Amino acid sequence: MSGIRLFVGLGNPGEKYAATRHNAGFWWIDQVAAATNSKLAVDAKFFGFAGKLSPTADSWLIKPTTFMNASGKAVAALANYYKISPAEILVIHDELDLPAGSIKMKFGGGHGGHNGLRDIHSALGTADYWRLRVGIGHPGSKNEVVNFVLKAPTKDEQHVIDDSIYDSCKLVDLMLKGEFDSAMLKLHTKK
């Protein structure tokens, strides 16, 4: 099985959204970029901040600048350009159905109402790609979801989310090698 060649962090561009729960995918990409000295720059043809994952020559990081609902545009543009198959893509996104500080990895499945995933499904024509689900917790009421994801986490939530992102970023080497069972075992048996 081939490893991940494209890491996609979901979020909304701009200062207004930088600290909001919906940007957990951006935070993950930022952490990996910092840890690997990878440089991201605006790339108009890929509709986002994109860059090679150092020191690997064949893997990419991207933070789409299309806003969440049009994330698929960036994913499809980069994947098509570099001939990256959906099974070689990992999408990192906020997950309401997991408690803050919990991270789970899975292959395929539905979009669970997540607009970024919905658009990626549509752009790729398949749901058969990897996801890294960063738990942000749930507000308790469906009516509160939009307001909740577009607000910053509490200080305690931010702390556990940051810790889980830091820990999961250490598994990038396993993901690059396609050792998903090992990565998931480490991720899902944490603490």
Side-chain angles (χ1 to χ4, degrees):
M1 182 178 281
S2 65
I4 299 300
R5 292 183 53 214
L6 174 56
F7 295 86
V8 181
L10 297 188
N12 285 312
E15 203 52 47
K16 176 181 175 186
Y17 299 103
T20 65
R21 291 177 177 97
H22 224 14
N23 277 31
F26 278 12
W27 303 341
W28 195 91
I29 294 290
D30 290 341
Q31 173 66 41
V32 169
T36 59
N37 290 319
S38 301
K39 304 285 180 253
L40 300 182
V42 173
D43 192 322
K45 74 177 175 284
F46 299 139
F47 310 99
F49 287 91
K52 271 200 166 168
L53 173 62
S54 298
T56 67
D58 205 28
S59 290
W60 293 83
L61 301 172
I62 190 167
K63 298 187 328 186
T65 53
T66 54
F67 284 94
M68 187 66 80
N69 297 1
S71 299
K73 189 174 181 180
V75 176
L78 199 147
N80 291 337
Y81 189 83
Y82 290 108
K83 297 178 177 40
I84 297 170
S85 74
E88 297 171 316
I89 297 172
L90 177 72
V91 176
I92 304 98
H93 65 90
D94 58 305
E95 177 59 69
L96 287 160
D97 294 333
L98 292 175
S102 176
I103 291 193
K104 301 281 183 206
M105 188 175 178
K106 73 174 191 171
F107 183 78
H111 54 67
H114 194 290
N115 290 330
L117 294 181
R118 180 182 282 126
D119 196 61
I120 291 168
H121 278 35
S122 175
L124 294 178
T126 183
D128 293 339
Y129 55 88
W130 288 92
R131 301 98 189 273
L132 191 66
R133 302 156 59 219
V134 180
I136 59 167
H138 197 286
S141 164
K142 197 174 178 178
N143 299 335
E144 291 295 315
V145 165
V146 172
N147 196 25
F148 181 77
V149 299
L150 295 177
K151 281 210 163 92
T154 66
K155 204 172 184 178
D156 287 345
E157 288 170 341
Q158 187 71 63
H159 181 71
V160 294
I161 290 168
D162 287 347
D163 283 352
S164 66
I165 287 173
Y166 178 80
D167 289 343
S168 65
C169 286
K170 293 177 186 171
L171 304 176
V172 166
D173 283 344
L174 292 174
M175 296 172 192
L176 290 170
K177 292 178 198 162
E179 295 177 13
F180 300 114
D181 289 343
S182 298
M184 288 189 285
L185 188 65
K186 285 180 165 39
L187 205 56
H188 300 169
T189 54
K190 189 181 113 194
K191 292 180 201 145

Coordinates of all heavy atoms in Angstrom, one line a residue, residues 44-88:
A44 N -1.6 30.0 -6.6 CA -2.9 30.3 -7.2 C -3.4 29.1 -8.0 O -4.7 28.8 -8.0 CB -2.8 31.5 -8.2
K45 N -2.6 28.3 -8.6 CA -3.1 27.1 -9.4 C -3.6 26.0 -8.5 O -4.4 25.2 -8.9 CB -2.0 26.6 -10.4 CG -0.9 25.8 -9.8 CD 0.0 25.3 -11.0 CE 1.2 24.6 -10.5 NZ 2.3 25.5 -10.0
F46 N -3.2 26.0 -7.2 CA -3.7 25.0 -6.3 C -4.7 25.6 -5.3 O -5.2 24.9 -4.3 CB -2.6 24.3 -5.5 CG -1.6 23.6 -6.4 CD1 -0.3 23.7 -6.2 CD2 -2.1 22.9 -7.5 CE1 0.6 23.0 -7.1 CE2 -1.2 22.2 -8.4 CZ 0.1 22.3 -8.1
F47 N -5.1 26.9 -5.4 CA -6.1 27.5 -4.6 C -5.8 27.3 -3.1 O -6.7 27.0 -2.3 CB -7.5 26.9 -4.9 CG -7.8 26.9 -6.3 CD1 -7.7 25.8 -7.1 CD2 -8.3 28.1 -7.0 CE1 -8.0 25.8 -8.5 CE2 -8.5 28.1 -8.3 CZ -8.4 26.9 -9.1
G48 N -4.5 27.6 -2.7 CA -4.2 27.5 -1.3 C -2.8 27.8 -1.0 O -2.0 28.1 -1.9
F49 N -2.4 27.6 0.3 CA -1.0 27.6 0.7 C -0.5 26.2 0.5 O -1.0 25.3 1.2 CB -0.9 28.0 2.2 CG -1.2 29.5 2.4 CD1 -2.5 29.9 2.7 CD2 -0.2 30.4 2.4 CE1 -2.7 31.3 3.0 CE2 -0.4 31.8 2.6 CZ -1.7 32.2 2.9
A50 N 0.5 26.1 -0.3 CA 1.0 24.7 -0.6 C 2.5 24.7 -0.6 O 3.2 25.7 -0.7 CB 0.5 24.3 -2.0
G51 N 3.0 23.5 -0.4 CA 4.5 23.3 -0.4 C 4.8 21.9 -0.2 O 4.0 21.1 0.2
K52 N 6.1 21.6 -0.6 CA 6.6 20.2 -0.4 C 6.8 19.9 1.0 O 7.3 20.8 1.8 CB 7.9 20.0 -1.2 CG 7.6 19.6 -2.6 CD 8.9 19.0 -3.2 CE 8.4 18.3 -4.5 NZ 9.5 17.9 -5.3
L53 N 6.6 18.7 1.4 CA 6.9 18.3 2.8 C 8.3 17.9 2.8 O 8.8 17.0 2.1 CB 6.0 17.1 3.1 CG 6.3 16.4 4.5 CD1 6.1 17.4 5.6 CD2 5.4 15.2 4.7
S54 N 9.1 18.7 3.5 CA 10.6 18.4 3.6 C 10.8 17.3 4.6 O 10.0 17.2 5.5 CB 11.3 19.6 4.1 OG 11.1 20.7 3.2
P55 N 11.7 16.4 4.4 CA 12.7 16.4 3.3 C 12.2 15.4 2.1 O 13.0 15.2 1.2 CB 13.9 15.9 3.9 CG 13.4 14.9 5.0 CD 12.1 15.5 5.5
T56 N 11.0 14.9 2.2 CA 10.5 14.0 1.2 C 10.3 14.8 -0.1 O 9.9 15.9 -0.1 CB 9.2 13.3 1.5 OG1 8.2 14.3 1.6 CG2 9.3 12.6 2.9
A57 N 10.6 14.1 -1.2 CA 10.5 14.8 -2.5 C 9.1 14.6 -3.1 O 8.8 15.3 -4.1 CB 11.6 14.2 -3.5
D58 N 8.3 13.7 -2.6 CA 7.1 13.4 -3.3 C 5.8 13.5 -2.5 O 4.8 13.0 -2.8 CB 7.2 11.9 -3.8 CG 6.4 11.6 -5.0 OD1 6.1 12.6 -5.8 OD2 5.9 10.5 -5.2
S59 N 5.9 14.3 -1.5 CA 4.7 14.6 -0.7 C 4.5 16.1 -0.5 O 5.4 16.8 -0.4 CB 4.8 13.9 0.7 OG 4.7 12.5 0.5
W60 N 3.2 16.4 -0.4 CA 2.8 17.8 -0.3 C 1.9 18.1 0.9 O 1.2 17.3 1.4 CB 2.0 18.2 -1.6 CG 2.9 18.1 -2.8 CD1 3.3 17.0 -3.5 CD2 3.6 19.2 -3.4 NE1 4.1 17.3 -4.5 CE2 4.4 18.7 -4.4 CE3 3.7 20.5 -3.1 CZ2 5.2 19.5 -5.2 CZ3 4.5 21.3 -3.9 CH2 5.2 20.8 -4.9
L61 N 2.0 19.4 1.3 CA 1.1 20.0 2.3 C 0.2 21.0 1.7 O 0.8 21.8 0.8 CB 1.9 20.6 3.5 CG 2.9 19.7 4.2 CD1 3.7 20.6 5.2 CD2 2.1 18.7 5.0
I62 N -1.0 21.1 2.0 CA -1.8 22.2 1.5 C -2.9 22.7 2.5 O -3.4 21.8 3.2 CB -2.5 21.9 0.1 CG1 -3.1 23.2 -0.5 CG2 -3.5 20.8 0.3 CD1 -3.6 23.0 -1.9
K63 N -3.1 24.0 2.6 CA -4.2 24.6 3.3 C -5.0 25.4 2.3 O -4.6 26.4 1.8 CB -3.6 25.5 4.4 CG -2.8 24.9 5.4 CD -2.4 25.7 6.6 CE -2.2 27.2 6.4 NZ -1.6 27.9 7.6
P64 N -6.2 24.8 1.9 CA -6.9 25.5 0.9 C -7.4 26.9 1.3 O -7.7 27.1 2.5 CB -8.2 24.6 0.7 CG -7.7 23.3 1.1 CD -6.7 23.6 2.3
T65 N -7.4 27.9 0.4 CA -7.8 29.2 0.7 C -9.2 29.5 0.1 O -9.6 30.7 -0.1 CB -6.8 30.3 0.2 OG1 -6.5 30.0 -1.2 CG2 -5.5 30.2 1.0
T66 N -9.9 28.5 -0.2 CA -11.2 28.6 -0.9 C -12.4 28.7 0.1 O -13.5 28.8 -0.4 CB -11.4 27.3 -1.7 OG1 -11.3 26.2 -0.9 CG2 -10.5 27.2 -2.9
F67 N -12.1 28.7 1.3 CA -13.1 28.5 2.4 C -13.6 27.1 2.4 O -13.5 26.3 1.4 CB -14.3 29.5 2.2 CG -14.0 30.9 2.7 CD1 -13.6 31.8 1.7 CD2 -14.1 31.2 4.0 CE1 -13.2 33.1 2.2 CE2 -13.7 32.5 4.4 CZ -13.3 33.4 3.5
M68 N -14.0 26.6 3.6 CA -14.3 25.2 3.8 C -15.2 24.6 2.8 O -14.9 23.5 2.3 CB -15.0 25.1 5.2 CG -15.2 23.8 5.7 SD -13.7 22.9 6.1 CE -13.3 23.6 7.7
N69 N -16.3 25.3 2.4 CA -17.3 24.7 1.5 C -16.8 24.4 0.1 O -17.4 23.7 -0.7 CB -18.5 25.6 1.4 CG -19.2 25.7 2.7 OD1 -18.8 25.2 3.8 ND2 -20.3 26.5 2.8
A70 N -15.6 24.9 -0.3 CA -15.0 24.7 -1.6 C -13.7 24.0 -1.5 O -12.8 24.2 -2.4 CB -15.0 26.0 -2.4
S71 N -13.4 23.3 -0.4 CA -12.1 22.7 -0.2 C -11.7 21.7 -1.3 O -10.5 21.6 -1.7 CB -12.0 21.9 1.1 OG -12.3 22.8 2.2
G72 N -12.6 21.1 -1.9 CA -12.4 20.1 -3.0 C -11.6 20.7 -4.2 O -10.9 20.0 -4.8
K73 N -11.9 21.9 -4.5 CA -11.2 22.6 -5.6 C -9.7 22.5 -5.5 O -9.0 22.2 -6.4 CB -11.7 24.0 -5.7 CG -11.4 24.8 -6.9 CD -12.1 26.2 -6.8 CE -11.8 27.0 -8.0 NZ -12.4 28.3 -8.0
A74 N -9.2 22.8 -4.3 CA -7.8 22.8 -4.0 C -7.2 21.4 -4.0 O -6.2 21.1 -4.6 CB -7.5 23.5 -2.7
V75 N -7.9 20.5 -3.4 CA -7.5 19.1 -3.3 C -7.4 18.5 -4.7 O -6.4 17.9 -5.0 CB -8.5 18.3 -2.4 CG1 -8.1 16.8 -2.4 CG2 -8.5 18.8 -1.0
A76 N -8.4 18.6 -5.5 CA -8.5 18.1 -6.8 C -7.4 18.7 -7.7 O -6.7 18.0 -8.5 CB -9.8 18.3 -7.5
A77 N -7.2 20.0 -7.6 CA -6.2 20.7 -8.4 C -4.8 20.1 -8.2 O -4.0 19.8 -9.1 CB -6.2 22.2 -8.2
L78 N -4.4 20.0 -6.9 CA -3.0 19.5 -6.6 C -2.9 18.0 -6.9 O -1.9 17.6 -7.5 CB -2.7 19.8 -5.1 CG -1.2 19.8 -4.8 CD1 -0.8 20.8 -3.7 CD2 -0.7 18.4 -4.4
A79 N -3.9 17.3 -6.5 CA -3.9 15.8 -6.7 C -3.8 15.5 -8.2 O -3.0 14.6 -8.6 CB -5.1 15.2 -6.1
N80 N -4.6 16.2 -9.0 CA -4.6 15.9 -10.5 C -3.2 16.3 -11.1 O -2.7 15.6 -11.9 CB -5.7 16.7 -11.2 CG -7.1 16.1 -10.9 OD1 -7.2 14.9 -10.5 ND2 -8.1 16.9 -11.0
Y81 N -2.7 17.5 -10.7 CA -1.4 18.0 -11.2 C -0.3 17.0 -11.0 O 0.5 16.8 -11.8 CB -1.1 19.4 -10.6 CG 0.0 20.1 -11.2 CD1 -0.1 20.8 -12.4 CD2 1.3 20.0 -10.7 CE1 0.9 21.4 -13.0 CE2 2.4 20.6 -11.3 CZ 2.2 21.4 -12.4 OH 3.3 22.0 -13.0
Y82 N -0.2 16.5 -9.7 CA 0.9 15.6 -9.4 C 0.5 14.1 -9.5 O 1.2 13.2 -9.0 CB 1.4 15.9 -8.0 CG 2.1 17.2 -7.9 CD1 1.6 18.3 -7.3 CD2 3.4 17.3 -8.5 CE1 2.3 19.5 -7.3 CE2 4.1 18.5 -8.6 CZ 3.5 19.6 -8.0 OH 4.2 20.8 -8.0
K83 N -0.6 13.8 -10.1 CA -1.1 12.4 -10.2 C -1.1 11.6 -8.9 O -0.5 10.6 -8.8 CB -0.3 11.7 -11.3 CG -0.4 12.3 -12.7 CD 0.4 11.7 -13.7 CE 0.3 12.2 -15.1 NZ 0.1 13.7 -15.2
I84 N -1.8 12.3 -7.9 CA -1.9 11.6 -6.6 C -3.3 11.0 -6.5 O -4.3 11.7 -6.8 CB -1.7 12.7 -5.5 CG1 -0.3 13.3 -5.6 CG2 -2.0 12.1 -4.1 CD1 -0.1 14.5 -4.7
S85 N -3.4 9.7 -6.2 CA -4.6 9.1 -6.1 C -5.4 9.4 -4.8 O -4.7 9.7 -3.8 CB -4.4 7.5 -6.2 OG -3.9 7.0 -5.0
P86 N -6.7 9.3 -4.8 CA -7.4 9.6 -3.5 C -6.9 8.8 -2.3 O -6.8 9.3 -1.2 CB -8.9 9.2 -3.9 CG -9.0 9.4 -5.4 CD -7.6 9.0 -5.9
A87 N -6.5 7.5 -2.6 CA -6.0 6.7 -1.5 C -4.6 7.2 -0.9 O -4.2 6.7 0.1 CB -5.8 5.2 -1.9
E88 N -4.0 8.1 -1.6 CA -2.7 8.7 -1.2 C -2.9 10.1 -0.5 O -2.0 10.9 -0.3 CB -1.8 8.9 -2.3 CG -1.4 7.5 -3.0 CD -0.6 7.7 -4.3 OE1 -1.0 8.5 -5.1 OE2 0.4 7.0 -4.4

